[in-house]
Amino acid sequence: MGKFVNSVSVAALLALVPLAVPHAALANDKLDELSKSDENWVMPGKNYDSDNYSKLTQINDKNVKNLKVSWQFSTGLLNGHEGAPLVVDGKMFVHTSFPNNTFALGLDDPGKILWQDKPKQNPAARSVACCDLVNRGLAYWPGDGKTPPLILKTLLDGHVAALNAQTGETVWKIENSDIKVGSTLTIAPYVVKDKVIIGSSGAELGVRGYLTAYDVKTGEQKWRAYATGPDPDLLLAKDFNIHNAHYGQKGLGTSTWEGDAWKIGGGTNWGWYAYDPGTNLIYFGTGNPAPWNETMRPGDNKWTMTIFGRDADTGEAKFGYQKTPHDEWDYAGVNVMMLSTQKDLAGKERKLLTHPDRNGIVYTLDRTNGDLVSAHKIDDTVNVFKTVDLKSGLPVRDPEYGTRMDHLAKDICPSAMGYHNQGHDSYDPNRKLFFMGINHICMDWEPFMLPYRAGQFFVGATLNMYPGPKGDRQNAEGLGQIKAYDAITGKFKWEKMERFAVWGGTMATAGNLVFYGTLDGYIKARNSDTGELLWKSKLPSGAIGYPMTYTHKGTQYVAIYYGVGGWPGVGLVFDLQDPTAGLGAVGAFKKLANYTQMGGGVTVFSLDGKGPYDDPNVGEYSAN
């Protein structure tokens, strides 16, 4: 269990008093209810389905051309701003990159900061962060009458903190990760019932990944499940993978590794979650094995690169499907999980989970038991795999694009960035379409041997990245796509190219719109049915977060972070020139600095720019 800091008030001390289970159930029901309202955006992904879909129609395909800036807020920080703000009961909660500040803004007068939290943390965390100093968001817990509503946040130096949502006061703070071995936190917390779920980062430094549940009221550790190692550490249920024994069952967290390599084997999870109250399962993906050099870790390296369904109460894994056994390309499988209910090709209605993976395959599973329903290429230029065998679940590799020692593999598609990365995509349940922001990037890969040293990068490969076959390789543009995908048929209703990777993700609305931000600094809206570009607006800096929407006093707003950075922006952020630097990102995005510069904040749009300052007296100083 982590270490508690001293409470700062009597109110905070009272917040540590354990509560009965019925209170927790009520709190969870309230959070679910809030997630379905138009006025709020209370969790990453909008709701437990994590579909980033809004039923709002005030802004639609007919009038979106009239969107204008309503108001803006600068965070005062320059590094990349991923994720999206939260809106709860008339307040917006804004998070930042390191040092992970948090601001509460009142929507009646967002020019006044209600409270701000600027934590002091170990600056050494910056030197072990893989890919910029990003953070993917906040979580909200609505309180239960005894414990106040809470804002949950992660800090890059490995701590997790709970703040009183009304005052910003620290209620509890614990240590989840040890930066001395390279374990950091960039993930958005995820609240389920009376627990907050926290992942881990640092596979590039040989960190052994784990998922932890803490009591949301006190910070007490409830369970921790590792991705590699002995079965008790993995928290495998007795009936683990009983419906798909061919996925593998017991003893594989050690036997699929050579010796004790699993102890520094990666499998961290720093992406997104989904939760189904019906199955009581939390869905998430584990990341790449360590090191990247595949020669140094023979075997399937389970359970890295795996989609897990874990019981929210106990952490027990009911199923685990490994997408890329013995990953050779850093295809960290932590990408977004989106839940839907659809009929399969046989006409049977099923509860599904859809996951676009970095390996270039978009997977759909039956989320009740882990059955593989479909596995389609995100783009027809994927060449590392020829196909995925639906019966075995195994990818069929093309050995030409393997990364063995003493071999320079060329034109591998996708690159280590994947054809999909950390972006949070969306699903329109009426159109039964997934809207995906895609990277269109390939690479050359040359491995090398290296020793493990705790707290130092443990990669073992040199990468050159460049646009995929549909891009402009000569001019280093055409590095991204936006697509509308049918998970049942595997067909794309439409697809459009972008100058740079669509890194942040998408938001769909019932107004026949899909919104997304671009690295070169635009927010765009396309027609959901056709992909036609209907509107765009220039942001102060490139966007690596995803849009969100809410209503306040009858007006619909669309908000998005600006602040270029993340993995594609490391060259710009840290002024790097070597094309292989930044794990290959510098060469791929060498033109990015021609289109945008650093600077973080949030921009909020509405029709005709309607907003709180239409009345010029709002926020004015009064001497009375």
Side-chain angles (χ1 to χ4, degrees), residues 360-372:
I361 306 295
V362 54
Y363 298 87
T364 294
L365 276 62
D366 185 316
R367 67 177 183 268
T368 66
N369 57 23
D371 286 354
L372 182 59

Side-chain angles (χ1 to χ4, degrees), residues 34-114:
L34 285 170
S35 75
K36 296 174 181 176
S37 71
D38 293 333
E39 292 80 13
N40 300 295
W41 192 286
V42 296
M43 65 178 72
K46 177 70 167 77
N47 48 44
Y48 280 133
D49 284 346
S50 292
D51 59 15
N52 261 2
Y53 174 77
S54 171
K55 295 175 289 185
L56 289 172
T57 58
Q58 185 180 115
I59 300 170
N60 55 59
D61 56 337
K62 302 296 190 296
N63 61 21
V64 68
K65 63 180 181 292
N66 297 321
L67 274 188
K68 293 180 173 59
V69 174
S70 174
W71 57 273
Q72 293 182 303
F73 176 79
S74 170
T75 65
L77 292 170
L78 296 179
N79 290 84
H81 285 51
E82 290 183 345
L86 300 183
V87 167
V88 188
D89 294 337
K91 296 185 182 69
M92 177 179 285
F93 298 95
V94 175
H95 72 277
T96 76
S97 53
F98 181 91
N100 307 121
N101 300 332
T102 304
F103 301 94
L105 310 176
L107 295 179
D108 288 337
D109 181 9
K112 180 181 180 181
I113 300 170
L114 301 178

Side-chain angles (χ1 to χ4, degrees), residues 267-337:
T268 53
N269 57 95
W270 41 267
W272 309 104
Y273 303 112
Y275 170 65
D276 182 350
T279 63
N280 197 38
L281 296 181
I282 298 166
Y283 305 97
F284 69 101
T286 59
N288 56 288
W292 288 11
N293 185 337
E294 59 91 22
T295 305
M296 298 176 65
R297 45 171 175 78
D300 279 355
N301 309 133
K302 287 182 166 51
W303 290 90
T304 64
M305 312 300 292
T306 297
I307 296 174
F308 272 115
R310 289 191 178 275
D311 184 276
D313 298 325
T314 66
E316 287 190 337
K318 298 298 183 180
F319 69 81
Y321 166 61
Q322 190 179 40
K323 300 155 293 177
T324 312
H326 187 66
D327 170 45
E328 303 176 48
W329 307 275
D330 180 43
Y331 291 152
V334 304
N335 305 25
V336 62
M337 307 280 166

Side-chain angles (χ1 to χ4, degrees), residues 119-368:
K120 304 298 182 184
Q121 55 177 311
N122 191 335
R126 293 176 295 185
S127 65
V128 295
C130 161
C131 312
D132 199 9
L133 309 180
V134 298
N135 185 277
R136 295 184 182 88
L138 305 167
Y140 176 76
W141 186 72
D144 58 10
K146 293 185 178 180
T147 304
L150 299 175
I151 290 292
L152 290 308
K153 63 188 289 184
T154 57
L155 307 183
L156 188 67
D157 73 355
H159 286 84
V160 182
L163 310 178
N164 184 314
Q166 301 300 322
T167 66
E169 184 179 34
T170 299
V171 175
W172 56 259
K173 181 180 179 183
I174 56 95
E175 185 181 61
N176 179 83
S177 306
D178 183 1
I179 62 168
K180 289 192 295 293
V181 297
S183 185
T184 54
L185 284 178
T186 58
I187 194 168
Y190 197 71
V191 171
V192 175
K193 297 185 178 180
D194 59 351
K195 297 179 178 64
V196 56
I197 310 300
I198 304 291
S200 56
S201 300
E204 278 64 46
L205 292 93
V207 168
R208 180 188 177 206
Y210 51 81
L211 182 75
T212 312
Y214 297 99
D215 187 306
V216 74
K217 300 181 293 294
T218 68
E220 178 187 2
Q221 184 175 310
K222 290 302 187 181
W223 52 259
R224 172 167 286 176
Y226 286 86
T228 68
D231 288 351
D233 290 4
L234 303 180
L235 299 187
L236 301 186
K238 291 182 179 179
D239 59 352
F240 175 67
N241 275 344
I242 191 171
H243 294 282
N244 293 282
H246 57 285
Y247 290 172
Q249 294 181 285
K250 301 300 178 69
L252 300 174
T254 54
S255 66
T256 60
W257 294 84
E258 185 174 69
D260 290 339
W262 56 268
K263 292 181 179 180
I264 52 172
T268 53
N269 57 95
W270 41 267
W272 309 104
Y273 303 112
Y275 170 65
D276 182 350
T279 63
N280 197 38
L281 296 181
I282 298 166
Y283 305 97
F284 69 101
T286 59
N288 56 288
W292 288 11
N293 185 337
E294 59 91 22
T295 305
M296 298 176 65
R297 45 171 175 78
D300 279 355
N301 309 133
K302 287 182 166 51
W303 290 90
T304 64
M305 312 300 292
T306 297
I307 296 174
F308 272 115
R310 289 191 178 275
D311 184 276
D313 298 325
T314 66
E316 287 190 337
K318 298 298 183 180
F319 69 81
Y321 166 61
Q322 190 179 40
K323 300 155 293 177
T324 312
H326 187 66
D327 170 45
E328 303 176 48
W329 307 275
D330 180 43
Y331 291 152
V334 304
N335 305 25
V336 62
M337 307 280 166
M338 296 171 284
L339 308 186
S340 66
T341 300
Q342 300 187 61
K343 290 182 179 180
D344 62 18
L345 289 175
K348 178 183 177 182
E349 188 168 275
R350 304 178 77 166
K351 299 180 74 172
L352 302 176
L353 176 158
T354 296
H355 164 81
D357 197 78
R358 260 166 73 170
N359 69 7
I361 306 295
V362 54
Y363 298 87
T364 294
L365 276 62
D366 185 316
R367 67 177 183 268
T368 66

Side-chain angles (χ1 to χ4, degrees), residues 292 417 462-466 567 578-589:
W292 288 11
M417 284 186 166
T462 300
L463 280 62
N464 280 289
M465 296 189 194
Y466 38 81
W567 193 359
D578 178 356
T580 67
L583 304 173
V586 174
F589 291 94

Side-chain angles (χ1 to χ4, degrees), residues 13 48 54 108 110 140 168 190 206 230 249 278 291 324 377 395 397 401 428 445 466 474 493-494 537:
L13 282 170
Y48 280 133
S54 171
D108 288 337
Y140 176 76
Y190 197 71
Q249 294 181 285
T324 312
K377 290 186 177 184
R397 282 167 153 86
Y401 303 104
D428 185 326
W445 176 296
Y466 38 81
Q474 182 175 354
K493 187 167 184 180
W494 54 262
S537 182

